[in-house]
Amino acid sequence: MKVSNFSSLRELTIAALVISSVTACGGSGSSNTTPEASVTPPTPPVSETPSEPDWQAGVYEPESNFINQCESPRSGIDPFSGNSYPDEAGTAMDEKLWMRSWTNDTYLWYDEVDDNDPANFSIAAYFDQLKTTELTPSGTPKDNFHFSRATEEYNTLTQTGVSSGYGVEWEFVSLTAPRELIVQYTEPNSPAETAGIPRGASLKTIDGVDFVNANTQAEVDVINAGLFPSESGNTTNLTFELVDGSELSVSVTSADIEVSPVQNVTVLETSAGKMGYFQFNTFIRTAQGSLINAFDQFVNDNVTELVIDLRYNGGGLLALASQLSYMVAGPNQTDGAIFETLQFNDKYPTRNPVTGSTISPTPFYSTEIDYNAGLLTNTLLPSLSLTTVYVITTGSTCSASEAVINSLRGVDVEVVQIGTPTCGKPYGFYPTDNCGTTYFTIQFQGVNNKGFGDFADGFIPSSTPNFEFELPGCDVQDDFTKPLGDASEGMLSAAIQYAESGACPVSTASSTSASLISGSHSNAPSNSQATGQTTASESSLAIKPPHTQRDELILHNKINEPILRGDN
């Protein structure tokens, strides 16, 4: 409980004023007192200083006791909600005890979190360690998806699809010398696209600094400042080596980049039939219209085969993933089936601890959604009603992307996997704002219509699948020598061949392109990369891409937002 000293201070102040008044008058009304001595100076107002709550090991007060009690409270109106900020004056310990109680209440593995003294950590560092340290069966950390972001930045990014930069998505091959950074793709109408920077271009210099071999902190500072601009209007000179060995030098100026989730929509003629293809980069609400347009085109063109390129898609909104899955499978296969059911920690077997509602399955949403209002509409989505779909994946294919794979398999749609294993994230969270920071902690696991959701080490393509997490398909590396959507690009070419023959290609890499075929280079950021920190084994001269990597985490995750059925 917080105890205010305001009343006692007020009484002492009044008493002091009374004593001062008596002394100034000399107690006798004498006229010898000078005017200056008889004037009592004004007493400054007494401000209330919040008292700091105590931490007791193993004792968890309700999170409501600490929520919105902020060391640096915001004031004014939230531009995204239109409401006043709920913040009140508090302390750093209030903020830490809120996240501690919130974690103990809602975190999926709350009983695997060490109850360390919050006084030994900053607010950010305390949150960082509020997670399990257990490992998956393969020996990787169980929780690789624990992070936070400034609330204003998070809202700007997810609600507008806009971020500052050049519009380049990078493959982080090596952050330390000899460094290697390769262009995955560029956003349409971005400075990078306008400058003609192609997929597969390898960065060589930035503002005259040797990107590959720079070995002084001053040089690396130039690289970081130029490569990851924090605001619009920064001009940087870049030199690349292209796939054919030629050199490209460009000058680009950072701008607000609007993310285009759906790209390279095309219909290919194959011996298996007309094949639809599209590159899908993130499940954000602005993607709904583009997905609908793509499927309208596929339906009108009588597409019988479909390739969904999820190689760089780390996830996003579950409702949108449900809509995409419906557009693939159609009404008959999804009728009465569930897209996904969320399972929370063992404190909440039947109730959602975040919304307070009874846990109910997410259906295959068959209509458009008004995402601003969180309501279903009556406008029916297009659908292909396919029994087989080809999905291109890498280690960057996470969360809601994996939910699409899992949910389709739950209604017996055959998912053929082309690429490398997915990242393994059957988990998700409700982004939660407290004191201007939005926190993301694993709160649920999703299972499909058959009750399966155990793929913590990812879905794996196999010629002879034996386990639920193994899918029929081909192990193919990311091919940077061809544009995305090009029928000769390694992964898409393998999907076409599998559709035509039922077999994987013998090899997708030629001797001249092998150096640009990415096998072990996952775009999924490590925790250290996501926070801009380095591990003990990383050099202090590593480039630190905090904005790009954290943007990946924000855009690419399984995020649950309640969707209600509208009255219209």
Side-chain angles (χ1 to χ4, degrees):
M1 176 184 296
K2 295 182 181 177
V3 179
S4 171
N5 294 320
F6 180 76
S7 296
S8 59
L9 285 171
R10 183 175 179 273
E11 292 170 0
L12 289 172
T13 301
I14 293 172
L17 287 173
V18 172
I19 294 171
S20 175
S21 176
V22 171
T23 304
C25 294
S28 63
S30 171
S31 61
N32 293 329
T33 305
T34 62
E36 289 79 5
S38 65
V39 176
T40 302
T43 302
V46 179
S47 60
E48 181 179 1
T49 301
S51 58
E52 188 170 271
D54 295 324
W55 165 76
Q56 296 182 48
V59 178
Y60 297 87
E61 296 183 47
E63 61 192 79
S64 58
N65 288 5
F66 309 108
I67 193 168
N68 301 323
Q69 305 297 313
C70 310
E71 183 179 37
S72 300
R74 296 164 291 179
S75 62
I77 303 297
D78 181 346
F80 293 95
S81 69
N83 300 320
S84 298
Y85 288 114
D87 302 3
E88 298 178 6
T91 67
M93 183 62 78
D94 284 303
E95 294 191 40
K96 286 183 276 190
L97 290 183
W98 169 80
M99 63 179 67
R100 173 177 177 264
S101 293
W102 173 67
T103 298
N104 184 257
D105 187 44
T106 69
Y107 187 55
L108 187 60
W109 306 291
Y110 69 94
D111 53 352
E112 298 176 11
V113 177
D114 293 333
D115 188 17
N116 296 315
D117 186 349
N120 297 328
F121 303 86
S122 67
I123 294 173
Y126 185 66
F127 174 73
D128 287 345
Q129 57 86 53
L130 282 175
K131 64 177 183 177
T132 180
T133 57
E134 298 295 317
L135 305 177
T136 69
S138 69
T140 60
K142 184 190 290 188
D143 187 351
N144 263 328
F145 309 97
H146 187 81
F147 66 103
S148 62
R149 183 75 182 262
T151 299
E152 183 177 1
E153 295 178 24
Y154 168 70
N155 286 335
T156 298
L157 187 59
T158 58
Q159 296 190 33
T160 67
V162 173
S163 61
S164 181
Y166 307 121
V168 179
E169 293 299 324
W170 301 100
E171 180 80 7
F172 295 93
V173 181
S174 175
L175 301 182
T176 56
R179 302 175 190 84
E180 187 174 6
L181 208 56
I182 298 174
V183 176
Q184 294 175 341
Y185 64 93
T186 58
E187 291 289 352
N189 304 314
S190 66
E193 185 191 55
T194 301
I197 302 174
R199 172 173 165 83
S202 179
L203 184 62
K204 296 304 177 184
T205 71
I206 180 165
D207 286 333
V209 173
D210 181 352
F211 170 77
V212 177
N213 300 305
N215 59 8
T216 69
Q217 189 61 58
E219 290 175 318
V220 173
D221 289 344
V222 170
I223 290 173
N224 284 322
L227 197 56
F228 307 108
S230 59
E231 58 186 9
S232 299
N234 292 344
T235 298
T236 302
N237 298 306
L238 306 173
T239 300
F240 296 90
E241 180 181 344
L242 305 186
V243 171
D244 62 5
S246 63
E247 184 178 283
L248 172 68
S249 295
V250 298
S251 178
V252 289
T253 301
S254 61
D256 288 336
I257 305 300
E258 182 175 358
V259 173
S260 299
V262 178
Q263 299 184 26
N264 296 314
V265 179
T266 188
V267 176
L268 304 169
E269 295 288 347
T270 74
S271 62
K274 288 187 175 181
M275 174 177 283
Y277 166 90
F278 66 99
Q279 172 193 346
F280 189 32
N281 299 325
T282 179
F283 289 84
I284 56 176
R285 59 184 62 185
T286 55
Q288 178 179 229
S290 298
L291 283 175
I292 291 172
N293 291 339
F295 275 83
D296 279 337
Q297 178 180 337
F298 296 151
V299 170
N300 292 336
D301 288 348
N302 297 314
V303 161
T304 59
E305 309 289 331
L306 178 66
V307 177
I308 307 176
D309 193 338
L310 298 174
R311 75 183 76 186
Y312 304 132
N313 191 324
L317 295 171
L318 280 174
L320 192 61
S322 173
Q323 290 177 297
L324 172 58
S325 301
Y326 171 83
M327 287 189 273
V328 172
N332 293 334
Q333 294 176 101
T334 61
D335 184 33
I338 66 166
F339 166 76
E340 185 171 86
T341 300
L342 304 186
Q343 296 178 341
F344 296 85
N345 67 41
D346 58 13
K347 295 180 181 181
Y348 297 96
T350 60
R351 183 167 64 89
N352 184 317
V354 179
T355 66
S357 61
T358 300
I359 296 173
S360 59
T362 299
F364 286 86
Y365 289 127
S366 59
T367 63
E368 293 184 26
I369 294 174
D370 180 344
Y371 279 101
N372 291 327
L375 296 175
L376 290 169
T377 72
N378 289 330
T379 304
L380 191 66
L381 295 171
S383 62
L384 291 174
S385 297
L386 299 175
T387 56
T388 300
V389 64
Y390 302 86
V391 178
I392 294 176
T393 68
T394 65
S396 296
T397 306
C398 293
S399 200
S401 289
E402 293 172 302
V404 169
I405 295 171
N406 198 42
S407 71
L408 290 174
R409 299 180 77 231
V411 292
D412 294 321
V413 172
E414 182 181 40
V415 180
V416 178
Q417 184 179 3
I418 307 295
T420 54
T422 62
C423 81
K425 186 174 182 290
Y427 314 115
F429 38 60
Y430 290 83
T432 303
D433 167 31
N434 189 55
C435 298
T437 299
T438 297
Y439 295 96
F440 303 78
T441 196
I442 298 296
Q443 293 160 317
F444 58 83
Q445 177 176 358
V447 298
N448 67 13
N449 192 59
K450 297 180 178 180
F452 177 74
D454 295 322
F455 49 90
D457 286 316
F459 286 112
I460 302 172
S462 173
S463 58
T464 56
N466 294 312
F467 301 98
E468 283 292 319
F469 55 81
E470 292 181 325
L471 276 63
C474 311
D475 186 346
V476 183
Q477 310 306 316
D478 200 353
D479 177 8
F480 292 98
T481 66
K482 299 293 191 302
L484 294 172
D486 188 317
S488 63
E489 185 273 323
M491 288 180 162
L492 179 53
S493 175
I496 295 172
Q497 181 167 328
Y498 195 100
E500 292 177 332
S501 67
C504 296
V506 175
S507 175
T508 59
S510 67
S511 58
T512 59
S513 64
S515 64
L516 286 178
I517 302 297
S518 174
S520 59
H521 308 315
S522 168
N523 187 51
S526 66
N527 285 342
S528 61
Q529 291 170 337
T531 59
Q533 300 172 343
T534 57
T535 64
S537 62
E538 291 177 323
S539 166
S540 62
L541 297 180
I543 60 171
K544 300 176 178 65
H547 298 294
T548 299
Q549 295 290 17
R550 284 183 295 177
D551 287 355
E552 291 287 349
L553 289 170
I554 297 299
L555 288 171
H556 300 161
N557 261 295
K558 180 184 286 188
I559 297 172
N560 197 48
E561 292 185 357
I563 301 297
L564 304 177
R565 188 167 297 281
D567 296 329
N568 54 331

